[in-house]
Amino acid sequence: LQGDWSSDVCSSDLEDRPMSKVQYLSQEGYEKLDTELKDLKTRGRREIAADIAEARAKGDLSENAEYDAAKEAQGHMEDRITKLEDILANARIIDAKDLDLTKVRILTKVTILNKKMNKEMKYTLVSANEADFAKGKISVDSPIGKALLGTEIGETVEVKVPARSEEHTSELQSP
């Protein structure tokens, strides 16, 4: 090979590409996303292909709303597949047993006291991909998650949530 290959990719091309961020996941979270990915690549693609074929069989594609809807659904599904592939490719699986429990970190179970409401709430801090408020899993990227990260037992933190400002005291739990 001859020539200066570095000139083939200019710096502006690299700036336009999003840098993949490391995704910290529990084993359970990784497996859930992996299962979703496999399902979308098999069953999901098969169902979308059948929907497109059925709409195509109905005739003129220029005025076929079903065809347009099926193609749009295909685009959304392919975007989700790409996102899942990126997340899993950059995933780092962490085990709560290996964490330093002197401070709040991802996968830490905490009990927090909302001082205004005098109410205790129990959460596990997880990545945004695993967050499920109904199951007590909040994202480390959420206002409460960000405020709690790095805090120690008994430390009081002020959390700015979209509607108001709250004070919380955290208590770490063992995994």
Side-chain angles (χ1 to χ4, degrees):
L1 296 173
Q2 296 179 354
D4 179 13
W5 293 96
S6 63
S7 64
D8 288 349
V9 178
C10 68
S11 62
S12 64
D13 290 341
L14 295 175
E15 291 169 9
D16 292 340
R17 295 181 194 165
M19 292 291 291
S20 294
K21 188 170 118 177
V22 172
Q23 301 285 326
Y24 294 99
L25 299 170
S26 64
Q27 184 66 42
E28 173 189 358
Y30 182 91
E31 289 170 3
K32 181 180 173 188
L33 295 176
D34 189 48
T35 299
E36 180 185 354
L37 177 61
K38 288 174 182 171
D39 182 58
L40 289 175
K41 285 181 149 185
T42 55
R43 185 194 54 79
R45 281 181 172 160
R46 191 171 43 250
E47 287 177 3
I48 292 284
D51 291 346
I52 291 171
E54 182 181 326
R56 186 178 284 139
K58 293 184 178 178
D60 185 9
L61 298 182
S62 64
E63 296 180 18
N64 189 329
E66 284 182 47
Y67 179 78
D68 292 340
K71 290 298 280 184
E72 186 174 331
Q74 181 184 38
H76 289 300
M77 186 184 66
E78 292 301 327
D79 286 345
R80 180 68 180 157
I81 287 171
T82 300
K83 183 179 179 184
L84 288 170
E85 287 174 335
D86 184 55
I87 290 168
L88 294 173
N90 294 292
R92 301 293 178 271
I93 297 172
I94 52 179
D95 188 341
K97 293 181 286 191
D98 298 333
L99 297 176
D100 170 12
L101 295 177
T102 61
K103 292 188 177 194
V104 177
R105 306 205 188 288
I106 193 166
L107 291 187
T108 304
K109 294 179 181 183
V110 296
T111 300
I112 62 172
L113 172 64
N114 181 319
K115 290 186 173 184
K116 279 187 181 174
M117 298 170 54
N118 197 27
K119 182 178 178 185
E120 277 192 356
M121 298 165 283
K122 295 180 187 240
Y123 298 115
T124 301
L125 271 69
V126 296
S127 71
N129 298 304
E130 293 184 78
D132 185 345
F133 192 74
K135 293 182 178 177
K137 295 180 177 185
I138 60 170
S139 170
V140 292
D141 296 328
S142 70
I144 293 174
K146 284 180 181 177
L148 290 175
L149 280 178
T151 61
E152 296 179 355
I153 296 173
E155 190 173 336
T156 299
V157 295
E158 185 173 332
V159 179
K160 297 205 183 311
V161 292
R164 62 201 175 281
S165 179
E166 301 175 349
E167 270 193 11
H168 295 277
T169 301
S170 64
E171 177 183 312
L172 298 173
Q173 300 174 334
S174 57

